Amino acid sequence: MKLMKIKKSLATVFAVAAAFALVSCDTPSYPSSSSADSAELESYEALSISAITTNETAASLINSESFIRGVDISALYDLEKNGAVFYNSDDEEEDMLSILKANGVNTVRIRLWNDPYNANSKPSLPNYGYNTLAKAKSMVVRAKALGLKVLLDFHYSDTWTHPGQQLYPSAWDNLTTIDEVESAVSEYTKKCISYLSEAGATPDFVQIGNEIDSGMLLQKSTNTSPSVSSEDANVVCGNGSEELAKVLNAAGAAVKSVDSSIEVMIHVANPSYYSRITNLSGLDSANYDAIGVSFYPCNSNRKISDLKNAISSIVSAGKKAYVAETSFPWTCEWVEGKNDDTNNVIWYTGTDSMATAYENLNEDYNLTNFGISKSTYNGSTIIAPTYQNQAAVIREVIAAVAEAGGSGIYYWGGEWVATTSIPSTWENQTLFDLDGKVLPSAKVFSVKAETGTSLFDVVPEEDEDNGDTTENETLPYTATSFPFEKSYTGTGSNETFLTKESFANVSGTTVTVAFTWASGSGDPWFGVGDSWPTVSWNGSTASGTTTVEELKSNDLVIGAPTGAGFTVTISIE
């Protein structure tokens, strides 16, 4: 998984998945919710996750014990050493692995680097999941003790590997022939598997390389350039090359030599690149059993139909197929004092965004069928980052994989909460909130299937615009009595998200929102409506009104120029 940074989130968009029933719960008491300024963090909704309706074969796959419902937990060792604490849905401190298992997870994925602490390895995020063999062993032993299966993910590097960056481990920099590279890969792989097996912690699955779209071992450990020519590295195992086939054969055969029952997976990032493995000349089919692909709906050009086609093609080639990495945000909120200072990967619009997710998943009426609700942000249609949508998207990925004949999915970064010494660009895509409490959306890993017409094939009768039923939604929040009036005081920062209020039973009703600017300098503004800010007003006058045709959502957003103090009263008749 490649880590990127973009700007921090300052506001959140609420959307409600039509297929989910929400029930309000008390504010959690773990360990303190006083600093959680987001309504999304102050109150929990319990999700009732509907079964996946699909064909008989896919339903049988989903409901089988062998279907993988996995989560990558590679950072767990380091997180716990640096103060991370995890809580179950009852606000009780509990082992994170036990919490995941209780929510339906049956397999964990653990990455392994050769020597992540040598002088040439300079990871961008200190102390995060840089697993030596000893660290990996401790997590494998714990997982096995709980009855969880384990996928061991060899990166064959001292640092992150992904498309364009496939660095040699420093110990192999001076290898000069493909025979030497094959030998190093074989010996290292065999040593690691044997070490775990001797500890009673034999992995069930082994991944030989990580996101090898461009090949493996493409650059020396000292060269981080993504475009190194063959002259700059002694042996380059590029995509489609004889050298790549030899390295993969060496790795797979080494695993099988220790324990032939271990399932060997080869992993590419782009689902469409599966053929770079199935068509690789010289790759011995006996040395691998499965192909895994990454599927991040927020990344460009990741259509759900492309995923299904890739999984189906892999299965047709006689191999098992998995989604080896996937995720979806539960918030884009930036909560002061709770998050670290590392910018999160996903934003509302732009590249790698909630708007991209809408484009990727809005096919064949999938949004409505799977309980994914859309919204708008600054004129762009998005899938809102909520608990409901996080669960709904995972549910759709599970359905797509099963209907294409695949064998399961792995969620990436579900554990990566931030601590005081470990930053996170992924904390809004975890399966735990900012205090470490498991999210209600984690229950999606327990989702079952029932036989019937596939959700991919059903066209909702009331839906005439490709899955958009937003115009007809009524939020299932407790209704606020009218007239409503409340005052707020704050300090502006141009885009100040000050508060949210929830309303219901007003869909289709004309509502007038009036405000009075009681004090403060600069021009105020506020937004209210279906998203943020669908309806807005700004100006220097002391008061104003706006009419909202349908106050369906829940946002009252108030702002002022940076440094301007203000008091404002909102009243709704």
Side-chain angles (χ1 to χ4, degrees):
M1 180 62 210
K2 183 177 181 178
L3 303 179
M4 300 173 290
K5 296 183 179 181
I6 62 173
K7 64 181 180 179
K8 298 176 181 178
S9 170
L10 297 170
T12 191
V13 178
F14 276 70
V16 177
F20 294 97
L22 300 174
V23 180
S24 295
C25 300
D26 294 334
T27 301
S29 58
Y30 65 99
S32 168
S33 60
S34 59
S35 60
D37 296 327
S38 165
E40 201 168 21
L41 296 176
E42 289 177 351
S43 62
Y44 264 73
E45 294 88 6
L47 296 181
S48 176
I49 299 172
S50 303
I52 297 171
T53 303
T54 183
N55 61 62
E56 185 175 354
T57 301
S60 179
L61 271 173
I62 293 171
N63 294 334
S64 69
E65 292 184 4
S66 61
F67 191 82
I68 300 302
R69 300 157 185 263
V71 173
D72 192 307
I73 54 103
S74 296
L76 178 60
Y77 182 98
D78 288 330
L79 287 169
E80 290 177 333
K81 292 295 183 182
N82 286 274
V85 179
F86 297 92
Y87 300 86
N88 59 30
S89 57
D90 294 323
D91 303 336
E92 298 167 339
E93 184 176 341
E94 188 177 340
D95 177 10
M96 188 196 75
L97 294 179
S98 296
I99 296 172
L100 291 176
K101 182 178 180 180
N103 281 276
V105 172
N106 61 13
T107 307
V108 295
R109 179 177 185 249
I110 300 169
R111 63 177 163 269
L112 175 63
W113 292 352
N114 291 47
D115 183 11
Y117 297 103
N118 71 75
N120 291 336
S121 179
K122 298 178 181 179
S124 59
L125 300 176
N127 299 323
Y128 168 57
Y130 301 149
N131 293 328
T132 60
L133 183 56
K135 283 185 182 180
K137 172 188 169 183
S138 70
M139 289 183 280
V140 175
V141 169
R142 285 174 58 182
K144 287 285 190 175
L146 288 171
L148 295 168
K149 296 178 182 178
V150 174
L151 166 63
L152 185 67
D153 174 14
F154 281 91
H155 279 233
Y156 295 115
S157 181
D158 297 333
T159 188
W160 301 100
T161 58
H162 46 71
Q165 177 173 295
Q166 296 282 337
L167 276 68
Y168 270 78
S170 60
W172 300 354
D173 272 344
N174 294 324
L175 301 180
T176 58
T177 68
I178 186 59
D179 290 341
E180 290 177 337
V181 174
E182 283 183 84
S183 178
V185 169
S186 178
E187 291 176 7
Y188 173 72
T189 304
K190 189 179 299 183
K191 178 192 75 173
C192 293
I193 303 299
S194 297
Y195 175 79
L196 294 174
S197 296
E198 290 167 3
T202 306
D204 303 273
F205 314 96
V206 167
Q207 182 181 311
I208 50 174
N210 193 77
E211 293 190 329
I212 64 167
D213 305 42
S214 53
M216 296 171 63
L217 304 170
L218 302 180
Q219 305 106 11
K220 290 185 178 182
S221 66
T222 53
N223 192 332
T224 59
S225 170
S227 56
V228 178
S229 66
S230 59
E231 290 77 16
D232 295 321
N234 295 323
V235 180
V236 177
C237 306
N239 165 49
S241 69
E242 176 184 359
E243 289 79 8
L244 177 60
K246 288 183 176 182
V247 166
L248 291 174
N249 282 333
V255 174
K256 298 292 186 181
S257 71
V258 178
D259 189 332
S260 61
S261 69
I262 297 174
E263 185 177 296
V264 175
M265 178 199 296
I266 300 175
H267 176 208
V268 294
N270 189 328
S272 300
Y273 290 168
Y274 72 89
S275 59
R276 294 186 175 184
I277 305 303
T278 56
N279 294 337
L280 180 58
S281 178
L283 178 59
D284 188 343
S285 182
N287 290 328
Y288 77 105
D289 307 287
I291 296 175
V293 301
S294 297
F295 182 73
Y296 292 101
C298 296
N299 292 169
S300 299
N301 300 317
R302 294 295 186 270
K303 302 289 187 184
I304 197 76
S305 57
D306 294 334
L307 173 64
K308 292 184 72 175
N309 290 337
I311 297 292
S312 179
S313 296
I314 293 168
V315 173
S316 295
K319 298 299 178 180
K320 289 187 176 181
Y322 298 91
V323 166
E325 296 182 13
T326 191
S327 70
F328 195 80
W330 56 274
T331 185
C332 282
E333 188 84 16
W334 185 266
V335 182
E336 193 67 32
K338 299 297 295 185
N339 299 56
D340 62 88
D341 292 330
T342 306
N343 294 331
N344 291 334
V345 171
I346 300 300
W347 180 243
Y348 289 108
T349 56
T351 303
D352 301 320
S353 68
M354 312 310 296
T356 301
Y358 173 77
E359 295 173 1
N360 285 336
L361 297 178
N362 185 35
E363 297 182 311
D364 304 325
Y365 302 91
N366 296 347
L367 291 181
T368 299
N369 293 342
F370 286 94
I372 302 171
S373 66
K374 78 170 193 176
S375 188
T376 56
Y377 178 83
N378 283 358
S380 295
T381 303
I382 67 168
I383 296 177
T386 64
Y387 306 137
Q388 302 97 315
N389 280 342
Q390 184 185 51
V393 169
I394 297 171
R395 183 169 170 261
E396 181 171 2
V397 173
I398 290 173
V401 169
E403 289 196 9
S407 298
I409 74 164
Y410 293 87
Y411 192 92
W412 198 90
E415 88 290 21
W416 191 7
V417 299
T419 72
T420 55
S421 56
I422 297 181
S424 175
T425 64
W426 211 262
E427 60 205 328
N428 64 326
Q429 298 185 72
T430 59
L431 299 171
F432 297 85
D433 75 7
L434 302 181
D435 286 318
K437 180 175 178 176
V438 66
L439 298 176
S441 47
K443 292 189 297 183
V444 72
F445 292 98
S446 296
V447 70
K448 299 298 182 183
E450 57 188 25
T451 302
T453 303
S454 167
L455 292 171
F456 286 101
D457 298 330
V458 176
V459 178
E461 293 182 1
E462 73 280 6
D463 193 1
E464 297 179 354
D465 58 352
N466 203 28
D468 178 15
T469 58
T470 304
E471 295 299 320
N472 300 316
E473 289 179 0
T474 300
L475 289 180
Y477 291 106
T478 302
T480 301
S481 60
F482 295 94
F484 168 84
E485 183 171 295
K486 193 169 183 178
S487 297
Y488 308 94
T489 300
T491 300
S493 60
N494 285 328
E495 292 185 348
T496 297
F497 171 76
L498 182 63
T499 186
K500 290 195 277 282
E501 296 293 339
S502 299
F503 304 95
N505 302 329
V506 295
S507 181
T509 302
T510 298
V511 178
T512 299
V513 179
F515 64 89
T516 301
W517 187 254
S519 65
S521 59
D523 294 345
W525 57 263
F526 81 96
V528 61
D530 185 34
S531 64
W532 179 80
T534 300
V535 180
S536 63
W537 177 93
N538 66 79
S540 58
T541 58
S543 63
T545 62
T546 187
T547 297
V548 183
E549 294 299 327
E550 293 185 31
L551 183 59
K552 300 187 303 295
S553 191
N554 58 355
D555 294 356
L556 294 180
V557 187
I558 307 164
T562 302
F566 63 87
T567 300
V568 63
T569 299
I570 298 290
S571 63
I572 300 178
E573 299 298 329

